């Protein structure tokens, strides 16, 4: 039987974390894992992602529904938000990026699922996630609900432990690299056009 895994991200495109997720999902064993991918907002899933995954989104079901979700997110606990707006039962739930996704997955009502939070940046030096939580206290509590926190480097892992010492378990897992894709791109032709600038007095 396939293991059901849900990945939650703030957006599908735009940065290094999203590229890492695309690489990871393309290399998961399809015979062992059934993947559902959640993003905050409705987006078009292109061929950067494998075709065998299920895609769902939190916002994008109508203005009134989105307003209601925003109200619940800001005024109620993560467990209330999760209970109302996340569908499906999963064996593993992964908040693949810090911030909104981490808060949402921390509210999972599934006591049997393994919960993983992925951290890609040094939150001591760039604590942008304040906008996703009601307070630093709530953020600490959310991280405490995860079975494991994965960091992309030892520096990131140590910084996360400084901020959230109550974390149950943590490990460093470097970003995967698709060597086949890199070699293929290295064979592509690059066109160089001379640019001339004219300066006038």
């Amino acid at each position: 039987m396939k293991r059901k895994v849900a990945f939650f991200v703030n957006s599908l495109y735009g940065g290094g974390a999203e590229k890492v997720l695309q690489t990871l999902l393309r290399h998961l064993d399809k015979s062992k894992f059934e993947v559902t991918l959640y993003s905050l907002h409705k987006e078009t899933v292109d061929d950067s992602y494998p075709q065998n995954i299920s895609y769902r989104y939190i916002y994008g079901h109508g203005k009134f529904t989105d307003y209601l979700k925003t109200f619940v997110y800001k005024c109620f606990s993560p467990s209330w938000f999760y209970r109302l707006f996340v569908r499906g039962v999963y064996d593993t739930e992964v908040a693949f990026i810090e911030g909104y996704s981490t808060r949402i997955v921390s509210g999972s009502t599934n006591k049997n699922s393994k919960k993983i939070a992925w951290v890609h940046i040094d939150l001591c030096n760039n604590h942008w996630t304040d906008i996703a939580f009601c307070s630093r206290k709530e953020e600490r509590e959310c991280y405490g609900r995860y079975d494991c926190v994965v960091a992309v480097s030892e520096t990131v892992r140590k910084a996360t432990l400084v901020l959230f010492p109550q974390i149950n378990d943590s490990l460093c897992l470097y970003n995967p690299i698709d060597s086949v894709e890199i070699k293929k791109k290295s064979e592509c032709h690059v066109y160089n056009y001379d640019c001339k600038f004219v300066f006038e007095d």
Side-chain angles (χ1 to χ4, degrees), residues 12-200:
L12 299 183
Y13 310 99
E18 293 80 10
K19 178 63 177 176
V20 170
L21 178 61
Q22 293 164 14
T23 302
L24 178 63
L25 292 182
R26 285 199 304 269
H27 289 83
L28 280 182
D29 190 335
K30 300 177 182 65
S31 66
K32 295 181 180 179
F33 300 100
E34 181 180 322
V35 176
T36 300
L37 175 61
Y38 278 87
S39 65
L40 279 183
H41 299 278
K42 183 179 180 180
E43 299 180 65
T44 301
V45 183
D46 65 19
D47 58 6
S48 301
Y49 289 91
Q51 299 301 306
N52 62 302
I53 65 173
S54 298
Y55 172 61
R56 295 181 179 178
Y57 47 91
I58 303 294
Y59 292 95
H61 297 279
K63 288 185 178 180
F64 176 78
T65 304
D66 288 351
Y67 175 82
L68 176 63
K69 288 178 181 179
T70 300
F71 176 77
V72 174
Y73 186 92
K74 291 182 177 180
C75 300
F76 291 85
S77 68
S79 61
W80 269 104
F81 189 89
Y82 185 100
R83 188 181 291 111
L84 290 171
F85 306 121
V86 176
R87 299 288 176 262
V89 178
Y90 308 101
D91 300 303
T92 304
E93 298 175 274
V94 184
F96 197 74
I97 194 165
E98 56 282 340
Y100 299 103
S101 297
T102 302
R103 186 175 189 264
I104 291 170
V105 176
S106 75
S108 172
T109 53
N110 183 359
K111 295 180 180 180
N112 297 318
S113 70
K114 185 175 181 64
K115 298 166 189 66
I116 300 171
W118 220 288
V119 182
H120 297 263
I121 63 170
D122 182 340
L123 288 171
C124 284
N125 290 322
N126 181 18
H127 205 129
W128 73 267
T129 56
D130 282 336
I131 62 174
F133 296 88
C134 295
S135 64
R136 288 284 179 92
K137 179 176 181 293
E138 185 195 53
E139 188 173 14
R140 287 193 295 271
E141 290 172 350
C142 287
Y143 273 99
R145 298 188 190 112
Y146 283 89
D147 297 290
C148 182
V149 172
V150 175
V152 298
S153 70
E154 271 301 318
T155 301
V156 170
R157 190 183 74 85
K158 290 176 181 178
T160 306
L161 289 174
V162 168
L163 288 171
F164 313 117
Q166 80 289 353
I167 285 174
N168 295 306
D169 191 17
S170 66
L171 61 88
C172 173
L173 189 61
Y174 296 111
N175 290 334
I177 296 174
D178 190 332
S179 57
V180 174
E181 180 186 20
I182 292 172
K183 288 178 181 178
K184 186 182 293 185
K185 288 186 175 180
S186 71
E187 297 169 357
C188 294
H189 293 289
V190 178
Y191 297 95
N192 184 20
Y193 295 97
D194 291 329
C195 296
K196 295 181 179 180
F197 296 92
V198 178
F199 297 92
E200 296 181 356

